[in-house]
Amino acid sequence: MKINWGAGIVIAFGIFISFILFFVIRMTTSHDANHDLVTEEYYKAELGYQKEIDAEQNAINSNEKVELKKNT
């Protein structure tokens, strides 16, 4: 049986679409991946992120020199 180029393109598109759909379904049904955009304690998590941002900004604004000493 010989496949012409039109049928080959249709088969290639079908395989590609199946490949993409497999990964989309796998990622949406997987419970291992944490891809939720909503958290239960949103405001508590936001305060934690704000503390990290404030600490980074305080380190940037600090004029103190950091000294590292290596002891044997």
Side-chain angles (χ1 to χ4, degrees), residues 8-72:
I9 290 174
V10 170
I11 291 171
F13 276 130
I15 291 171
F16 178 73
I17 291 170
S18 300
F19 176 75
I20 297 298
L21 283 176
F22 167 74
F23 283 109
V24 168
I25 292 170
R26 184 173 175 195
M27 289 306 297
T28 56
T29 59
S30 175
H31 297 292
D32 296 335
N34 186 10
H35 52 269
D36 293 331
L37 297 177
V38 178
T39 61
E40 293 290 327
E41 300 288 334
Y42 172 76
Y43 294 107
K44 187 185 287 185
E46 193 272 333
L47 288 174
Y49 293 138
Q50 188 62 45
K51 285 182 182 178
E52 290 180 22
I53 293 169
D54 291 341
E56 184 177 344
Q57 191 61 43
N58 289 339
I60 291 170
N61 293 339
S62 176
N63 292 330
E64 297 178 15
K65 290 184 178 180
V66 177
E67 293 182 17
L68 297 175
K69 294 182 181 180
K70 185 176 179 181
N71 295 333
T72 57

